[in-house]
Amino acid sequence: VLTKPDPFSSIPIYSVNGTKLNPFLKAEKTKSIEAGMELFFFSRRLGLDFSWYKTNTTDQIMPVTISTATGYNSKYVNAGEIQNKGIEVSLSGTPIKSEDFRWDINVNWAKNENEVISLFEDVKNLQLGSFQGGVTINASIGEPYGTIQGTDFVYTNGERTITSAGYYAKTSTTNNVIGNMNPEWNGGINNKFTYKNFNFSFLIDVQKGGSIFSLDTWYGYATGLYDQSVGLNDRGIERRESLADGGGILFQGVQADGTPNTVYGRGDYYGNGLGYGRAPSALHIYDASYVKLREIALTYTLPSRILESSFISGMEFSVIGSNLWIIHKNMPYADPEAGLSSGNLQGYQSGVMPSTKDLGFNVKLQF
């Protein structure tokens, strides 16, 4: 397969793709087992749906690095095994039911655990993506699929170590696991209220855990874009003042000998210890948990008697709102769901735009 890079002056050039194709690739295989139960009580006023699953995927198609003496950088192979196992629970109920009014509620909860069992031959780590900020997304044997690696804090007696210049000490290696893009669990609560011909529902969506690296704070803390760059230090002096005038930042931690840190780091230029100039990548790993008002819907169903003489058997009018409110989140300045990808390369943010609220109007006709 040929690629066409930018021309050299006015001369077009072509080159061979850096990844060698493999005509002998096999289809990926998945083996899974699942068990579950579905129960209803009190004339179906209360229901429980539970399932457990375990899935192993083998012969995965992945690119692996090869010697450039072959004329390629990598090649596609069938290799590796990834295991996913988890549980899904759904509880439904109707607390109130009368002639004109009904309240239905559904609560769901799901937890998935994945693990990289094997990769290609003796490969222990497969880098899925490499990004600015010195972080990578990886598949490592014995780890969940999608670990985030980068520079980490150096610890002394369990405390973050501070250098003699007053900044966080960071590891010289970049293959430290500093996050995991997978959430601990997901859940939701949906309420539906019906009164005569009106129907109102709202969905609360919850995610617990998961990690995300922010390139925005990586640069923003160093260049003064965020409020972390300003404010008074513990001595009551603006941290952007020089050290000689009492400014600077006193980071919490210990010095190399284990004693509490008393050294102030400079806060008056880009190397302020918070951004890319000094900080380890781990400082910009955030908890991706959230609680959101995911959807609200109001529907009116036209009474059937109004449509008796027409060719229409049913008509509904709906107003729907989505992503209306982030009720709670731990990540500052951005929506934790915003990222570069929804596929293999989650857990990374760069240039995040504000979240949008969506409003829609729907008309449904039945004939």
Side-chain angles (χ1 to χ4, degrees):
V1 178
L2 296 179
T3 60
K4 184 180 180 182
D6 293 333
F8 178 76
S9 185
S10 59
I11 303 173
I13 57 177
Y14 295 88
S15 66
V16 176
N17 193 303
T19 302
K20 180 178 176 58
L21 302 182
N22 185 350
F24 303 104
L25 287 177
K26 300 178 293 184
E28 295 183 359
K29 297 179 181 179
T30 298
K31 297 180 180 179
S32 64
I33 56 176
E34 183 174 352
M37 61 180 180
E38 188 176 24
L39 305 172
F40 290 96
F41 308 92
F42 309 116
S43 301
R44 304 184 74 87
R45 292 278 295 272
L46 179 65
L48 172 66
D49 190 348
F50 172 86
S51 64
W52 172 89
Y53 63 87
K54 179 182 176 183
T55 301
N56 289 71
T57 303
T58 58
D59 286 336
Q60 296 177 104
I61 300 173
M62 63 177 66
V64 296
T65 302
I66 58 177
S67 171
T68 54
T70 62
Y72 298 92
N73 299 317
S74 60
K75 67 176 181 179
Y76 286 110
V77 298
N78 285 110
E81 179 180 358
I82 292 181
Q83 176 178 279
N84 284 275
K85 60 181 180 179
I87 59 175
E88 298 176 349
V89 182
S90 178
L91 181 66
S92 60
T94 305
I96 300 176
K97 183 179 180 181
S98 65
E99 183 177 352
D100 292 330
F101 181 77
R102 177 181 177 128
W103 173 24
D104 296 299
I105 184 171
N106 180 269
V107 180
N108 62 80
W109 184 86
K111 180 179 179 63
N112 179 75
E113 295 179 350
N114 65 46
E115 181 183 354
V116 179
I117 305 298
S118 65
L119 293 170
F120 177 67
E121 295 180 349
D122 60 348
V123 174
K124 303 298 182 183
N125 182 80
L126 176 64
Q127 189 179 107
L128 305 174
S130 178
F131 303 99
Q132 279 186 294
V135 297
T136 57
I137 310 296
N138 302 267
S140 302
I141 293 179
E143 299 279 355
Y145 184 89
T147 55
I148 306 172
Q149 297 182 10
T151 55
D152 200 356
F153 296 95
V154 174
Y155 292 91
T156 300
N157 299 327
E159 300 286 339
R160 294 177 179 178
T161 306
I162 309 299
T163 68
S164 59
Y167 304 118
Y168 289 121
K170 61 181 179 180
T171 59
S172 59
T173 55
T174 60
N175 62 345
N176 308 280
V177 176
I178 57 177
N180 173 14
M181 71 181 190
N182 301 284
E184 295 179 30
W185 54 264
N186 293 92
I189 303 174
N190 186 60
N191 284 275
K192 180 179 178 182
F193 302 93
T194 303
Y195 178 70
K196 294 185 177 180
N197 293 85
F198 289 93
N199 182 295
F200 174 75
S201 65
F202 67 92
L203 171 63
I204 302 294
D205 195 12
V206 182
Q207 174 172 297
K208 174 64 170 64
S211 304
I212 191 163
F213 175 85
S214 173
L215 188 69
D216 296 339
T217 60
W218 173 257
Y219 280 116
Y221 285 178
T223 54
L225 294 179
Y226 295 107
D227 56 3
Q228 293 274 6
S229 307
V230 300
L232 303 180
N233 60 23
D234 62 320
R235 295 186 289 203
I237 299 175
E238 170 57 51
R239 62 177 62 184
R240 291 176 296 176
E241 295 290 340
S242 67
L243 294 178
D245 292 330
I249 307 171
L250 182 67
F251 291 111
Q252 297 300 310
V254 297
Q255 296 175 344
D257 60 1
T259 59
N261 177 48
T262 58
V263 179
Y264 285 77
R266 290 180 61 181
D268 58 346
Y269 80 130
Y270 79 96
N272 59 16
L274 294 171
Y276 68 89
R278 299 279 184 178
S281 305
L283 184 66
H284 299 274
I285 292 288
Y286 298 97
D287 178 12
S289 300
Y290 61 78
V291 179
K292 293 186 175 185
L293 178 58
R294 182 66 73 183
E295 183 178 275
I296 290 180
L298 177 63
T299 301
Y300 175 70
T301 303
L302 208 64
S304 56
R305 66 178 183 277
I306 298 178
L307 304 172
E308 287 179 351
S309 59
S310 70
F311 61 93
I312 300 174
S313 60
M315 181 179 295
E316 291 181 356
F317 302 91
S318 300
V319 178
I320 303 172
S322 302
N323 299 317
L324 299 179
W325 181 21
I326 301 179
I327 301 170
H328 170 78
K329 66 184 179 75
N330 293 321
M331 183 174 188
Y333 313 117
D335 185 341
E337 283 193 293
L340 292 181
S341 170
S342 59
N344 288 332
L345 302 179
Q346 300 179 54
Y348 183 85
Q349 285 191 347
S350 175
V352 175
M353 300 297 289
S355 301
T356 60
K357 299 179 177 66
D358 301 316
L359 298 174
F361 180 73
N362 182 58
V363 178
K364 180 180 178 181
L365 301 177
Q366 294 179 329
F367 301 97

